[in-house]
Amino acid sequence: MLETKNLVKKFGSKTAVDDVSFTIEPGKTYLLLGPNGSGKTTWMKIAATLTKPTSGNVYWDGEPVGIESRKKISYMPTESYFYNWMRVADVGTYYRDFFEDFDEGKFREMLARLDLAPDARVRDLSSGMNAKLRLAAALSRYASVYLLDEPLNGIDLVARDQVLDTVIAAMTPDAAIVLSSHLVEEVESIASTAVFIRDGKILETRDTEELRDTDGQSLADRYRLLMR
C-alpha cells in the first residue's frame, strides 16, 4: 500500500503540493487528472524518492518512502534520462544492472509490442518513441506500484491506443498502476479510480464505475465541471 499523508511540497513561495492525502491500493488503476502545473509530477517524484517533501510524507507499507520502496515502485518520468550513445537494447542492460526485478525477456516483448527496434539509437528516437521506450522499461519490472507520468505526451493519436493497450496488458491483481494525464478522454477507459487535482490540491477522488452509474457522468464531464 502506498499512502500519502498531509503531503506538502514548496518551491520557494510556490506550493506545488498542498496538504494532499490519499491511498493507492493493489489491483487498481488510478488516474491523476489535472492541468499542467497541478502537482501531479511533483507527487510522483516524491513517491519515487527523487525529491523530498516540505512536510508530510508518502509511505510504503507504513514506512516513509526510501531505499526499500525503490525496490517496489517503478517510475516512468516525463523527461528522457537515457544516454544518447545508447541503443534501445542497451536500456534493458542499464535497467537490469539497477533493478533486480527487471525482466529482459519481458522488455524485449514490450519493444516488439511498441514497435521499437532494439538496434535503434536513443539519440535518433522521436519524442514519442522515447516515451514508448521509457514505458517499456518501467513496465518490465515486477513492481508493486507503477507510476507513469504523462505516458501519452508526445504520442500521436494512433499510437496512443497502442500505449494504453500496453498499460492494460501490464495490469495484475497484485500491483497498482498510477497514470497521470490531462488527456482525460483518452485515458478514462482504463481507470478504476480517478483523483482530480488542481493547484496542488485534491479536489475529489472517485470510483469511475460509481461516477458513471450513480452520477451519470464520464470522467471528462466531471473533469470539465471541477476544473472550471
Side-chain angles (χ1 to χ4, degrees):
M1 181 183 293
L2 191 66
E3 188 173 11
T4 302
K5 292 184 178 180
N6 303 115
L7 184 69
V8 175
K9 178 61 179 181
K10 295 185 177 183
F11 296 98
S13 61
K14 177 178 172 55
T15 302
V17 177
D18 192 357
D19 196 26
V20 162
S21 298
F22 68 107
T23 300
I24 302 298
E25 298 178 347
K28 294 185 177 182
T29 303
Y30 295 80
L31 296 182
L32 289 185
L33 300 175
N36 292 331
S38 59
K40 305 185 301 294
T41 293
T42 300
W43 175 82
M44 283 197 175
K45 286 187 173 181
I46 293 172
T49 71
L50 296 179
T51 190
K52 294 182 180 295
T54 302
S55 63
N57 217 326
V58 180
Y59 298 86
W60 171 254
D61 282 351
E63 297 293 330
V65 290
I67 293 174
E68 289 303 311
S69 67
R70 291 177 195 167
K71 300 175 183 178
K72 299 294 185 180
I73 299 173
S74 182
Y75 173 55
M76 173 196 165
T78 56
E79 64 274 6
S80 177
Y81 54 95
F82 307 127
Y83 297 109
N84 282 334
W85 56 262
M86 285 179 166
R87 296 185 184 275
V88 167
D90 294 330
V91 172
T93 304
Y94 178 80
Y95 258 68
R96 183 194 64 198
D97 291 342
F98 277 92
F99 302 107
E100 293 181 358
D101 63 351
F102 183 75
D103 185 331
E104 284 194 279
K106 188 177 181 182
F107 180 64
R108 288 192 293 271
E109 292 174 4
M110 289 279 184
L111 296 184
R113 174 187 285 271
L114 293 168
D115 297 324
L116 291 167
D119 61 347
R121 290 194 180 277
V122 167
R123 65 169 173 257
D124 296 328
L125 299 179
S126 67
S127 60
M129 296 298 279
N130 194 295
K132 287 183 182 182
L133 179 56
R134 282 178 272 127
L135 179 69
L139 293 180
S140 294
R141 290 183 56 193
Y142 287 103
S144 296
V145 179
Y146 297 90
L147 304 177
L148 310 178
D149 195 2
E150 298 282 1
L152 298 183
N153 271 8
I155 303 292
D156 64 65
L157 188 60
V158 174
R160 286 176 188 173
D161 289 340
Q162 185 184 44
V163 167
L164 292 176
D165 287 344
T166 302
V167 174
I168 291 169
M171 295 176 182
T172 70
D174 300 323
I177 294 176
V178 186
L179 186 154
S180 71
S181 185
H182 59 279
L183 302 171
V184 184
E185 292 173 333
E186 281 84 349
V187 297
E188 69 174 305
S189 63
I190 72 169
S192 53
T193 303
V195 181
F196 298 93
I197 184 168
R198 185 182 65 191
D199 298 329
K201 294 180 178 289
I202 290 181
L203 303 179
E204 190 173 87
T205 300
R206 294 295 300 268
D207 178 277
T208 56
E209 185 174 344
E210 178 188 47
L211 181 62
R212 285 188 291 266
D213 293 347
T214 303
D215 292 21
Q217 289 183 316
S218 68
L219 288 187
D221 293 334
R222 194 64 182 167
Y223 182 90
R224 291 187 183 98
L225 180 64
L226 292 172
M227 300 300 165
R228 286 176 180 171

